Amino acid sequence: MFTIETIQLDHQQTPIGLGSLPKLTWVLKSDKRAVAQTDYQIQLSKGLDFEEVLYDSLYVKSSQSIHVELPGISCEAFTKYFVRVRVKNNKNEETAWQTTYFVTGYVNNQCNASMITIEDSSQLNNEETFYTRKEFRANKEIESVYCVATAFGLYNLYFNGEQVGDYKLTPGWTSYKNNLMYQVYDVSEMVEKGNNTIGAIIGTGWYKGSLGFSRNANMYGDQAGFLCEVHINYADGSHDVIGSDETWVGHLSPILFSNIYDGEIYDARMEIADWHRWGLNSQSWAKVSTIAFDKNILRPQICEPVEVIEQFKPKELFKTPEGDVVLDFGQNMSGLVQMSAEGKKGDVIELNYFEALDKDGNVYLDNLRGAKQTIQYIFGDDESIVYLPSFTFQGFRYARIKTYPGTPKADDFVAMAISSGMESTGTIETSNADVNQLMHNILWGLNGNFVDIPTDCPQRDERLGWTGDAQVFCRTASYLKNCYNFYKKYLTDLAFDQTDEGGVPHVVPDILTGNYDHDDFLSQGTDSAAGWADAAVIMPWTLYQVYGDEEILLAQYDSMKAWIDFMRHHSEDYIWSYKLQFGDWVALDAEEGSYFGATPNELMCASYSAYSTQLFINAAKALGNYEDVVFYSDYHEKIVNKYQSKFFDAKGHMTVQTQTAHIVSLYFDLVPEENKEMVADDLVHLLDKEDGHLVTGFLGTPYFCSALSQNGKVKEAYDLFLKDDFPSWLYQVKMGATTIWEHWDGIKPDGSMWSPDMNSFNHYAYGAIGEWVQRSMVGIEVDEQNPGYRHFYIQPLVDSRFSYVKGSLMTQFGEIKSNWTLEDGNVKLSISVPVNTNCTIVLKQAKEVVDSDITGAMVRNNNGLSVCVGSGMYNITFAV
Ligand code: BGC
């Protein structure tokens, strides 16, 4: 059987709202080995029956099956297109047609609707929300209806009383001054011939609500607003457009208060029955006004919207020693709690959300800093209610029930975990239960922090897109989920928010610059810190490697280059420095009371600039920009020479005796070849000095195990990985963590807490160890020359403390599997290689092959035994 399993369009299943024709990626499946595509055919049509074909590629001789472009035919706005593909292979087989569809949005950005509001600028700092509504008639038979919506703030949209879609926190958070995403919905089933009503509730969200640890409000504007345009396609071929304008009306909504950090107050006594249905007497409603803005900032939603990804019933409802009634949902997450309750008018339910219990088992709120994380519901006429908040989210595992009419029951509460709705792509399971829990915690670190932007943490008054955190976790995340569109959006905003000089803000979207002059710390600088700003280069390069889509390099190239040039212009003798640096942030080798690790800033700056410059050269090569390759290669060589003369002594040892200095030097290839072994030995000595423990921070930790295992220290890498006393990854697991902590000792062995000023229990940065598990333990490794896993390596490093490790990764070509078991000194490796790819199996630790169903010959070289195979499933047993 030779089949097309799935087709993706611009890295999505069935995208809606596209401004141009999407690129196609299809996954092929076969039960044979060494299967490769030889030809493909693509057709495009407006009808599922393809009777009228708008484009036919005919059979094209090509092996390309990912990111295939359609030719430049112009498409119509707000129209559904079907696209189908079939393929021939090198075994003389042909697939059946596989069909999918997409819907266009604005094709040439011709939005005519206005941003409407009932707020005026005197309502500064208010965090109220408002309703807006409009009645309209559709006079003919309807074929399809698409609705465009966006907001200055956040919106919930309704047609004829029903909520549209189940996305949360739309339109998401972007660099609003430059980039405002709109969503397009297919509302064909919700609009009727005859009378119709559109309604929306608008909250302040990230646009206008107070944000950041200084809690500045009105970051982007002082009026929340809503924009909507309904495109009706009638059966007779005619169209109607109804857009938001001055004819709409508005009214304060029962959501009296909403804020991303603080929560929501809902007063049901303020509800207006049927406010979103036809026939309401809206005489008391205010006329809306319009807010002028540049419509060029409008862009279609390119990433997966935030949605509910899992629901959790309370594991327990209990009373703390201090007498608080608490719900334990068993998992730290970002989310909202849906509550069902009964009460009478004026009764109040209040819930306070938090992450951890203190040493004595009481409610611990201190680490939330200024974030109130409180939901209040005030009963109106309805005695029986089901309520889910709208324009906020909480970072929590627990909720305290502060007030409640009657006795609460666990069954009345459901936690809805929210996250950007990306497809899961990778799995890992091992024979070690603690490691499995660690992998779970890494995944939930991702889930909780990928709420439209990659945040540092989802609970305290921060929740910002810190570039350093995003950068170190990018590769790990790209294994677990398809993060292409999510990061593409983030990188679009990163480029928008770069300084004129090419500096990269510490957080994206940048809300720090210009707002923190009063802050002792951030007044020193809000952009361009080593390891943070390098997100501009490391992330696009990582995405290119993982997803094989050149588009990301093309889109980010200027931004990448601007960052490299920024460092160049701020260099003296090839070592750059600039304002505030975070160094190896929160490393344990910091001086007492300091957040800054012991590795000097100049080493962090120089090492990261060498690394980013090398990656930029790689990107320039991939795009064929040879002038840049020549220029920056020369520059890179000079940085490396300088680095080696400055940070190594005459014998080749490092002059900076920290773990992180050794890690980044080894991992970024800054150690002269002949000294690598010695420097790796030195790193092991530094580890020994700490009784085998890491004392690294944000920049050293991610590459620690790789720096060891890539330099012959496989056992030492496993030793470090498997430590389970403080400080270590598994210490948190032993302490009952369900996500990754910000600090190695967030909760100390005696149950006491790290300082409350910065103690997040859901901070994915140290989860970057996931990358080593994927690339080294499971051993699935990309080939830089053949990005997207078109050719890849399976090169697991086994260790006798595991009896099995199983991993899978859904790539653009299909699923790769690498499973190994270890018994009596023999490793049995079972792998699966997707159709249209090749894999080189590299057995670094193999003494000899005991059994194998691979027909090709194994070759022994410095790297161990290796063999290249085409697609299919293979088993090989070797002695170690
Ligand atoms: C954040 C970090 C971030 C750091 C930089 C913290 O407050 O939570 O994750 O990278 O600041 O200084």
Side-chain angles (χ1 to χ4, degrees), residues 234-255:
Y234 291 111
D236 66 3
S238 61
H239 308 279
D240 246 350
V241 180
I242 291 108
S244 45
D245 60 19
E246 272 126 346
T247 64
W248 290 47
V249 289
H251 196 286
L252 284 180
S253 103
I255 304 174

Side-chain angles (χ1 to χ4, degrees), residues 310-312 329-336 355 393-397 415-418 444 447-448 458-459 738-739 762:
E310 204 168 318
Q311 301 189 7
F312 292 86
F329 292 97
Q331 174 62 55
N332 201 354
M333 68 186 108
S334 283
L336 301 160
E355 287 187 293
F393 68 93
Q394 286 78 52
F396 68 103
R397 167 175 167 169
M416 310 274 182
I418 60 163
W444 276 89
N447 288 340
Q459 73 298 86
T738 60
T739 39
N762 195 356

Side-chain angles (χ1 to χ4, degrees), residues 547-822:
Y547 301 103
D549 195 344
E550 209 175 79
E551 172 209 56
I552 194 73
L553 294 184
L554 286 167
Q556 297 303 126
Y557 194 77
D558 291 346
S559 153
M560 296 165 89
K561 188 168 171 177
W563 169 239
I564 302 294
D565 286 343
F566 178 97
M567 292 189 282
R568 215 158 49 81
H569 293 139
H570 287 274
S571 292
E572 225 184 279
D573 202 11
Y574 304 104
I575 297 198
W576 73 279
S577 62
Y578 187 74
K579 298 187 179 174
L580 176 64
Q581 295 296 317
F582 301 122
D584 190 21
W585 185 246
V586 296
L588 289 170
D589 55 11
E591 278 174 21
E592 192 61 34
S594 164
Y595 295 135
F596 301 98
T599 310
N601 283 343
E602 56 176 9
L603 187 143
M604 293 316 319
C605 287
S607 59
Y608 259 93
S609 73
Y611 183 50
S612 283
T613 306
Q614 181 58 60
L615 299 188
F616 176 66
I617 295 163
N618 297 351
K621 266 188 207 157
L623 296 181
N625 295 339
Y626 295 112
E627 265 180 39
D628 284 347
V629 174
V630 173
F631 179 85
Y632 290 94
S633 297
D634 176 61
Y635 190 67
H636 177 256
E637 200 181 313
K638 290 181 171 134
I639 306 174
V640 176
N641 288 341
K642 176 70 195 175
Y643 188 88
Q644 294 182 342
S645 66
K646 191 167 171 71
F647 299 115
F648 291 88
D649 66 17
K651 290 192 178 139
H653 296 286
M654 291 207 72
T655 54
V656 174
Q657 283 298 304
T658 63
Q659 293 177 350
T660 291
H662 288 71
I663 295 164
V664 293
S665 300
L666 286 165
Y667 190 78
F668 296 163
D669 204 11
L670 301 173
V671 182
E673 200 54 44
E674 62 279 13
N675 294 338
K676 278 191 176 160
E677 208 176 312
M678 185 173 79
V679 173
D681 284 340
D682 289 350
L683 177 57
V684 173
H685 288 145
L686 286 170
L687 253 177
D688 289 344
K689 272 177 80 186
E690 304 292 341
D691 191 25
H693 290 105
L694 46 72
V695 289
T696 47
F698 270 39
L699 298 187
T701 305
Y703 311 122
F704 208 148
C705 287
S706 300
L708 290 168
S709 64
Q710 287 175 355
N711 290 283
K713 311 283 183 203
V714 176
K715 180 186 167 299
E716 289 81 355
Y718 270 97
D719 288 347
L720 175 66
F721 179 61
L722 290 173
K723 278 244 164 289
D724 61 9
D725 55 344
F726 164 77
S728 66
W729 289 281
L730 297 185
Y731 166 74
Q732 316 181 351
V733 169
K734 293 277 185 208
M735 293 297 284
T738 60
T739 39
I740 300 291
W741 298 350
E742 180 173 22
H743 290 280
W744 296 114
D745 52 348
I747 302 178
K748 295 176 198 265
D750 69 359
S752 63
M753 304 278 186
W754 209 83
S755 150
D757 65 346
M758 262 208 350
N759 198 16
S760 149
F761 294 106
N762 195 356
H763 225 82
Y764 58 55
Y766 289 151
I769 185 62
E771 171 178 344
W772 180 75
V773 179
Q774 297 144 8
R775 299 169 80 176
S776 302
M777 281 176 61
V778 174
I780 299 176
E781 181 61 290
V782 79
D783 168 6
E784 292 208 351
Q785 307 307 319
N786 283 283
Y789 299 91
R790 178 161 183 88
H791 168 258
F792 60 96
Y793 298 94
I794 289 191
Q795 46 187 31
L797 296 172
V798 309
D799 184 275
S800 59
R801 283 160 283 187
F802 287 84
S803 62
Y804 73 87
V805 170
K806 288 184 190 172
S808 67
L809 173 64
M810 189 66 197
T811 69
Q812 302 289 291
F813 290 95
E815 192 170 50
I816 300 175
K817 280 190 190 157
S818 168
N819 299 338
W820 57 263
T821 55
L822 175 58

Side-chain angles (χ1 to χ4, degrees), residues 456-457 460 462 466 469 521 532 582 585 698 742 758 763:
D456 53 340
C457 55
R460 66 181 179 221
E462 202 152 343
W466 285 93
D469 308 44
F521 188 54
W532 270 253
F582 301 122
W585 185 246
F698 270 39
E742 180 173 22
M758 262 208 350
H763 225 82

